[in-house]
């Protein structure tokens, strides 16, 4: 039975996405489905997406400093473009970030790490891409922090990203990492991605053109959402 | 199905939302009909969608981010209604959305899909989000819905919410094991 007269989205390139069952990452053990997912043809439910705007979801792209407050840490600018697999920019799409503070502590009641909180750092931002797909946040470089996955486990420095696309099937939550972090090759979350090139694309590039002189260093992180397939698919009968 | 030739860019890899995603939790978003939200003026049948999310041990998952995407009461994604919600599970693994009941959504040709909402789950331990659907028990269109029809009959019940009091629909989600929920690759 055909469910769609319109193309959906391309399946993931081999090795480019992490598996749900990743033995080195303990929290996957009881949370990964054992049955394979049912691949369905895209319908309007998958090719439509929420219309979000700064009017309903106010933007705040300045996490490092504001009137009467200033976060502790090394100021950085993270910027990049949101594109699809055909290189087309996604305009007006909502990008959210969240992160630990400079000491490696989240402003979150469940974070028990013995590192100081910074009353001037909440660690959450939201912005909408411009006509060319660009986003830009000013924040502070987060710290690494321990977790309990295994003995002496530390997460590499990272910023969490949440991105919406033009279709709900393009939804992406991921993490941006920093170049040269010695924790990357031993991190079970990062290393769960099979393809080395796909892992490398999660590492931001140091970019002096994004830096602001006398104020903040710059990092470039582009995000690619799934592209549309050329033809509709059929559901299994 | 055949894999199409790949060219151009490759989609960015997913990573877990981790345990601290609540920094982007805005509890009001679980109520799509909130007075200061986008749908305050939209008419329709007010419903509550709720359920418990459990892991392979049957233990509640208290740290999940659940997102909802649905059509309006006429089955359209392009009307005034903005059918997006986000909800954190509570200590018992329960999610709860307040919304309007969606109408049948166009499928291919002149066919219609049964009323449904898409649910997307993010959490610690999920390196990639999970996608499923919630249908409503008793809908005549369920029998010919193209997605439900593709699910083996013995597993269809994992996608069909049951009425639980006036206007309340319940669907429990089991990530792993016995009566595991059907997840979709879309």
């Amino acid at each position: 039975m055909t469910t769609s007269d319109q193309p959906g989205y391309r399946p993931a390139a081999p090795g480019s996405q992490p598996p749900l069952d990743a033995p080195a990452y303990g929290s996957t053990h009881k949370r990964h489905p054992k049955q394979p997912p049912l691949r369905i043809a895209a319908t309007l439910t998958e090719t439509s997406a929420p219309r979000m705007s700064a009017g309903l979801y106010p933007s705040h792209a300045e996490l490092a400093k504001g009137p009467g407050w200033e976060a502790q840490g090394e100021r950085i600018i993270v910027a990049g473009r949101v594109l699809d697999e055909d290189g087309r920019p996604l305009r007006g799409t909502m990008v959210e970030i969240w992160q630990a503070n400079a000491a490696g502590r989240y402003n979150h009641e469940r974070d028990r790490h013995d590192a100081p909180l910074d009353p001037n750092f909440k660690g959450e931002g939201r912005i909408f891409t411009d006509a060319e797909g660009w986003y830009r946040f000013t924040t502070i470089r987060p710290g690494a922090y321990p977790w309990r996955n295994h003995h002496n486990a530390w997460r590499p420095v990272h910023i969490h990203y949440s991105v919406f696309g033009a279709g709900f099937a393009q939804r992406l939550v991921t993490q941006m990492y920093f170049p040269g972090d010695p924790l990357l090759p031993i991190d079970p979350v990062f290393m769960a991605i099979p393809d080395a090139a796909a892992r490398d694309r999660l590492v931001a590039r140091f970019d002096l053109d994004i830096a602001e002189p006398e104020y903040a260093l710059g990092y470039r992180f582009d995000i690619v959402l799934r592209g549309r397939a050329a033809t509709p698919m059929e559901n299994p009968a | 199905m055949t894999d199409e030739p790949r060219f151009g860019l490759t989609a960015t890899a997913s990573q877990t939302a981790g345990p601290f995603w609540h920094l982007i939790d805005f509890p009001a978003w679980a109520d799509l009909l909130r007075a200061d939200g986008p749908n305050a003026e939209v008419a329709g049948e007010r419903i509550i969608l709720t359920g418990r999310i459990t892991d392979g041990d049957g233990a509640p998952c208290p740290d999940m981010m659940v997102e909802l995407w649905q059509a309006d009461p006429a089955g359209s994604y392009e009307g005034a209604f903005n059918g997006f919600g986000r909800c954190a599970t509570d200590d018992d693994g329960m999610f709860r959305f307040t919304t309007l009941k969606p109408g049948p959504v166009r499928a291919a040709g002149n066919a219609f899909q049964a009323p449904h909402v898409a649910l997307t789950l993010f959490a610690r331990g999920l390196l990639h989000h999970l996608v499923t659907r919630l249908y409503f028990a008793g809908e005549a269109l369920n029998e010919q819905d193209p997605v439900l029809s593709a699910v083996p009959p013995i597993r269809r019940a994992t996608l069909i919410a049951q009425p639980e009091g006036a206007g309340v629909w319940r669907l429990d989600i089991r990530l792993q094991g016995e009566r595991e929920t059907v997840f979709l690759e879309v």
Side-chain angles (χ1 to χ4, degrees):
Chain A
M1 181 184 295
T2 302
T3 50
S4 181
D5 39 22
Q6 59 187 320
Y9 293 88
R10 284 177 227 159
S16 68
Q17 294 290 335
L20 287 163
D21 180 11
Y25 175 21
S27 291
T28 69
H29 296 177
K30 296 293 182 184
R31 290 188 164 189
H32 72 273
K34 301 246 180 186
Q35 304 280 343
L38 178 70
R39 182 149 188 248
I40 61 165
T43 75
L44 284 172
T45 305
E46 288 75 38
T47 58
S48 57
R51 298 180 302 279
M52 288 157 158
S53 64
L56 282 170
Y57 302 93
S59 292
H60 47 112
E62 175 54 72
L63 285 69
K65 189 177 180 179
W69 61 274
E70 187 167 8
Q72 296 282 336
E74 177 190 320
R75 278 192 297 267
I76 58 171
I77 294 163
V78 290
R81 296 177 77 194
V82 181
L83 307 165
D84 70 13
E85 287 178 301
D86 295 312
R88 285 189 288 251
L90 281 118
R91 304 178 178 92
T93 202
M94 191 164 92
V95 179
E96 298 168 284
I97 62 168
W98 72 99
Q99 64 168 90
N101 69 20
R105 172 90 181 261
Y106 285 87
N107 180 13
H108 189 291
E109 60 179 10
R110 291 184 197 170
D111 188 352
R112 302 295 183 207
H113 178 35
D114 177 26
L117 278 169
D118 177 353
N120 289 319
F121 191 72
K122 184 171 181 234
E124 175 261 322
R126 180 193 304 142
I127 200 172
F128 294 82
T129 55
D130 71 12
E132 298 299 316
W134 281 94
Y135 74 88
R136 184 178 189 273
F137 292 99
T138 305
T139 182
I140 52 93
R141 183 186 173 97
Y145 58 84
W147 61 315
R148 294 183 181 152
N149 188 67
H150 55 273
H151 175 67
N152 205 12
W154 294 77
R155 286 304 321 283
V157 174
H158 62 276
I159 297 176
H160 294 269
Y161 275 71
S162 159
V163 187
F164 290 81
F168 210 56
Q170 291 182 303
R171 187 83 177 85
L172 175 71
V173 167
T174 190
Q175 300 179 26
M176 182 202 102
Y177 300 96
F178 287 78
D181 192 328
L183 292 167
L184 283 171
I186 53 171
D187 178 55
V189 174
F190 179 71
M191 292 304 291
I193 303 161
D195 180 52
R199 292 197 296 270
D200 286 346
R201 288 191 291 269
L202 290 186
V203 181
R205 204 173 71 237
F206 177 71
D207 190 337
L208 214 49
D209 290 335
I210 288 171
E212 210 171 289
E214 313 295 326
Y215 187 69
L217 287 176
Y219 289 89
R220 171 88 182 253
F221 182 57
D222 289 345
I223 294 166
V224 179
L225 303 182
R226 296 167 68 194
R228 294 299 286 264
T231 53
M233 71 165 269
E234 303 272 306
N235 265 348
Chain B
M1 77 195 76
T2 54
D3 281 347
E4 297 173 39
R6 300 200 68 87
F7 53 90
L9 305 172
T10 300
T12 302
S14 173
Q15 294 274 266
T16 177
F20 305 129
W21 69 267
H22 301 80
L23 288 167
I24 59 159
D25 181 25
F26 308 97
W29 292 12
D31 180 358
L32 281 73
L33 309 181
R34 59 191 180 276
D36 62 346
N39 304 318
E41 308 293 321
V42 182
E45 180 188 346
R46 179 191 176 93
I47 57 170
I48 288 168
L49 303 178
T50 186
R52 175 176 282 120
I53 304 178
T54 50
D55 69 12
D57 288 332
C61 299
D63 56 359
M64 311 279 295
M65 173 166 101
V66 185
E67 286 187 348
L68 171 149
W69 173 235
Q70 65 163 84
D72 69 15
S76 171
Y77 287 101
E78 289 163 5
F81 186 72
N82 186 357
F84 172 74
R86 177 182 287 168
C87 177
T89 53
D90 67 15
D91 289 345
D92 292 321
M94 300 289 293
F95 65 88
R96 183 184 177 91
F97 290 101
T98 302
T99 185
L100 296 180
K101 191 170 179 197
V105 173
R106 270 275 321 279
N110 296 318
F112 282 91
Q113 303 182 64
H116 65 275
V117 309
L119 294 175
T120 307
L121 313 181
F122 304 83
R124 170 181 66 85
L126 295 181
L127 283 162
H128 193 285
H129 59 268
L130 295 173
V131 176
T132 188
R133 284 185 174 196
L134 178 155
Y135 287 86
F136 298 86
E139 290 283 343
L141 282 169
N142 286 350
E143 302 303 319
Q144 60 198 74
D145 180 84
V147 174
L148 275 181
S149 300
V151 175
I154 197 170
R155 299 188 67 203
R156 276 179 204 161
T158 69
L159 300 182
I160 301 176
Q162 299 294 325
E164 195 184 74
V168 180
W169 294 86
R170 173 151 181 167
L171 181 68
D172 291 341
I173 295 174
R174 299 173 191 84
L175 298 182
Q176 185 189 86
E178 198 180 340
R179 289 182 293 154
E180 183 176 298
T181 293
V182 171
F183 295 102
L184 306 173
E185 185 181 337
V186 295

